Amino acid sequence: MSKPHYQTMGQQFGRRSWAEPWKIKMVEPIRMISREAREQAAAEAGYNTFLLRSEDVYIDLLTDSGTSAMSDRQWAGIMLGDEAYAGSRNFYHLEEAIQTYYGYKYVIPTHQGRGAEHLISQAVIQKGDFIPGNMYFTTTRLHQELAGGTFVDVIIDEAHDPTSQHPFKGNVNLDKLQALVDRVGAENIPYVSLAGTVNMAGGQPVSMANVKALREFCDRHGIRIYLDATRMYENCFFIQEREEGYGDKSIAEILKEFCSYTDGAWMSAKKDNLVNIGGWLAVNHADVAEKARNMVVVYEGLHTYGGMAGRDMEALAIGIAEGVQDDQVAARVRQVRYLGKLLLDWGIPIVEPIGGHAIFLDAKRFYPHIPQDQFPSQTLAAQLYLDSGVRSMERGIVSAGRDPKTGDHRYPALELTRLTIPRRVYTQAHMDVVAESIKAVYDQREQTRGLKMVYEPEYLRFFQARFEML
Ligand code: PLI
């Protein structure tokens, strides 16, 4: 768990270029279909990038979820799958990896992150409870609401400002949390929902000082802390880079310390853990583990596979140890930064500081003439696809959904289009092509009009909503 003996090129040669700590062994062809075919595909998909066929996409930056390239070791692990219904040896490898790197006691595998969100929400939320968190995430908040809870945003104000240069925009504002405790009582707050990094804020990190202070606060009030660990490796990279006292610690050491201030975590292993499918819940309290184990058999599968094949658990156990290596995380974040810097150099508005997993275009500044209820970030995602076949994702008013009480749109301060970089998949040349396409769309911005929503599903509408051009 100490720092590895090898160094990156950057560490060895100072200002020289860095490069990925891997080479490519297998490739998958991609192609750009014609402009005419893209226009047809976009219209058929109702201008929703989730409804495109991936074969019609050239560079796919929809998500970094389940889209990573696995290593030769992970693929070798696939061949070691023990496909027993119960007690598969791969489960024990997975359990050991989570205990070693994250430090939690009880491990329950799930098919992916939202399976674990479902279990923790149902296990600890009572109807009428309040769940404070550092900005909402779509599936997380929905599971909290379905369990009878109300999510309350307690992130620092800077997180809602795409131009703020605060180094830890994922931090919890303890005054907001205190105000919630004063208003509803600590007994109605089962836990703080803490995410590192914060996806909807632009991949922004939480500092170690903040999680420590949060722990002290929660201990005083008898409130637990559950962590959304989905992109914690990237969060730890920012702590290593920006927080005093952590520059000489490895990502693995920082991770272990951070998790030690929390009571458990849920995980979409499809991100940091470098697998195409999988998730887990891990907690320190036996009573919570028992409730979750009782439920996992109803919704996921037996508690020693939770919806995953043995081979997938093996690849995941290997991915946990591989993904946490300093050079892996550094190369990943630096590739994101490379793309962001190209855009900043051209004056294109993005969320700053550049986050860990994606570049977020600021659609409010990109298209100031398109009102929020004409879906500027959905429009931008559609225009980018039309220009070059690059697929991005709306993270604005469509993702925010409707207020369950009033039925009105929620109008989030952040209206963003996310270009999410899969891990170990695309090269620097792909990033150049993406940046040039965004520049072309930016140059056309004044002629661009918004969209109208013509179909809206009840839950998580951004996945399946359909639009028409105005
Ligand atoms: O997609 P799942 O069910 O494995 O995980 C849900 C989930 C939970 N927390 C966070 C922070 C996420 O980012 C997340 C999934 N994110 C997706 C799919 C994304 O594209 O960002």
Side-chain angles (χ1 to χ4, degrees):
M1 300 263 296
S2 58
K3 272 204 138 189
H5 66 276
Y6 50 82
Q7 291 181 305
T8 61
M9 293 292 277
Q11 285 164 332
Q12 291 186 56
F13 300 116
R15 288 169 54 81
R16 288 206 212 163
S17 297
W18 60 273
E20 287 81 1
W22 39 260
K23 57 185 178 174
I24 297 167
K25 188 168 342 208
M26 189 187 281
V27 297
E28 180 182 345
I30 52 174
R31 70 193 173 119
M32 195 196 298
I33 59 173
S34 67
R35 170 88 199 191
E36 205 182 2
R38 295 199 296 279
E39 279 171 8
Q40 193 182 334
E44 279 172 10
Y47 299 98
N48 183 346
T49 51
F50 279 101
L51 301 179
L52 289 166
R53 289 168 179 247
S54 87
E55 63 187 10
D56 293 335
V57 171
Y58 174 40
I59 298 175
D60 201 347
L61 306 186
L62 183 72
T63 179
D64 62 336
S65 182
T67 52
S68 305
M70 292 208 295
S71 68
D72 50 359
R73 285 163 201 226
Q74 287 179 288
W75 280 108
I78 291 274
M79 298 308 293
L80 301 176
D82 169 12
E83 306 306 340
Y85 187 89
S88 159
R89 102 168 74 82
N90 313 119
F91 166 73
Y92 297 102
H93 295 167
L94 172 59
E95 183 180 52
E96 193 187 336
I98 294 167
Q99 288 167 343
T100 302
Y101 289 99
Y102 293 85
Y104 301 117
K105 270 194 207 152
Y106 306 104
V107 171
I108 297 136
T110 59
H111 74 285
Q112 60 182 74
R114 69 200 72 181
E117 289 173 341
H118 176 215
L119 298 183
I120 189 72
S121 302
Q122 295 289 336
V124 300
I125 297 173
Q126 308 285 333
K127 200 169 174 349
D129 279 350
F130 292 84
I131 322 298
N134 56 344
M135 200 173 275
Y136 85 100
F137 183 70
T138 53
T139 55
T140 317
R141 180 176 63 189
L142 180 59
H143 279 295
Q144 291 162 352
E145 288 172 352
L146 290 173
T150 301
F151 176 82
V152 181
D153 188 4
V154 293
I155 202 166
I156 59 171
D157 288 341
E158 289 86 342
H160 294 282
D161 173 4
T163 62
S164 161
Q165 299 290 334
H166 193 293
F168 290 103
K169 282 165 96 172
N171 281 354
V172 169
N173 179 327
L174 293 180
D175 293 335
K176 290 187 188 176
L177 190 54
Q178 181 68 59
L180 181 70
V181 170
D182 293 344
R183 181 161 69 84
V184 305
E187 65 283 6
N188 295 313
I189 303 176
Y191 67 98
V192 174
S193 178
L194 182 73
T197 57
V198 181
N199 192 351
M200 303 301 277
Q204 305 295 331
V206 178
S207 71
M208 194 70 88
N210 189 246
V211 69
K212 263 194 223 176
L214 181 65
R215 177 79 268 171
E216 282 168 21
F217 179 97
C218 288
D219 283 346
R220 278 204 305 281
H221 294 279
I223 298 170
R224 288 184 180 166
I225 304 171
Y226 288 111
L227 176 67
D228 183 337
T230 296
R231 297 185 182 85
M232 265 310 294
Y233 294 174
E234 293 159 17
N235 197 104
C236 294
F237 172 86
F238 292 118
I239 291 176
Q240 188 186 56
E241 185 181 66
R242 298 176 188 170
E243 199 162 351
E244 215 185 314
Y246 291 93
D248 287 333
K249 296 214 157 109
S250 66
I251 303 276
E253 286 168 326
I254 297 169
L255 178 70
K256 198 80 178 268
E257 181 185 339
F258 195 103
C259 293
S260 75
Y261 301 123
T262 67
D263 296 293
W266 66 88
M267 180 73 184
S268 171
K270 302 167 73 173
K271 282 88 165 174
D272 269 358
N273 290 169
L274 298 172
V275 285
N276 303 122
I277 193 73
W280 48 264
L281 175 70
V283 295
N284 286 337
H285 292 97
D287 56 332
V288 178
E290 194 189 331
K291 276 194 195 161
R293 275 204 199 102
N294 274 325
M295 267 194 315
V296 79
V297 295
V298 181
Y299 293 105
E300 303 280 321
L302 195 73
H303 61 282
T304 54
Y305 76 86
M308 272 186 283
R311 54 180 168 267
D312 291 329
M313 290 191 283
E314 190 64 27
L316 171 51
I318 297 166
I320 287 172
E322 204 173 279
V324 78
Q325 298 307 317
D326 285 41
D327 54 356
Q328 293 280 337
V329 191
R332 189 273 186 293
V333 179
R334 285 179 180 151
Q335 186 180 38
V336 174
R337 237 174 234 176
Y338 174 83
L339 174 60
K341 285 190 175 149
L342 290 178
L343 300 176
L344 285 174
D345 284 348
W346 286 330
I348 294 170
I350 64 172
V351 174
E352 291 182 78
I354 295 166
H357 66 302
I359 295 302
F360 290 72
L361 301 172
D362 183 354
K364 280 189 182 169
R365 281 184 290 155
F366 202 104
Y367 291 138
H369 57 291
I370 300 182
Q372 203 167 5
D373 59 5
Q374 291 177 13
F375 314 109
S377 49
Q378 189 80 34
T379 304
L380 180 45
Q383 291 298 332
L384 186 59
Y385 174 75
L386 289 171
D387 181 74
S388 62
V390 169
R391 173 153 67 173
S392 57
M393 182 196 288
E394 196 269 0
R395 294 276 82 155
I397 186 170
V398 186
S399 296
R402 290 183 186 271
D403 186 307
K405 291 206 180 85
T406 65
D408 295 337
H409 288 306
R410 289 167 165 134
Y411 285 84
L414 296 175
E415 181 69 29
L416 310 173
T417 303
R418 189 181 75 174
L419 301 143
T420 339
I421 315 299
R423 294 165 186 77
R424 310 192 292 203
V425 171
Y426 291 115
T427 65
Q428 195 159 309
H430 290 114
M431 298 301 111
D432 293 337
V433 168
V434 170
E436 286 166 21
S437 175
I438 294 165
K439 173 82 166 71
V441 172
Y442 191 57
D443 290 344
Q444 292 293 316
R445 63 193 180 279
E446 279 161 20
Q447 287 89 60
T448 304
R449 299 225 240 143
L451 296 166
K452 107 175 154 195
M453 199 189 297
V454 293
Y455 167 67
E456 179 177 358
E458 186 180 353
Y459 295 120
L460 302 174
R461 63 183 184 176
F462 57 95
F463 283 130
Q464 291 157 334
R466 302 184 68 84
F467 301 84
E468 278 172 12
M469 278 197 183
L470 286 171

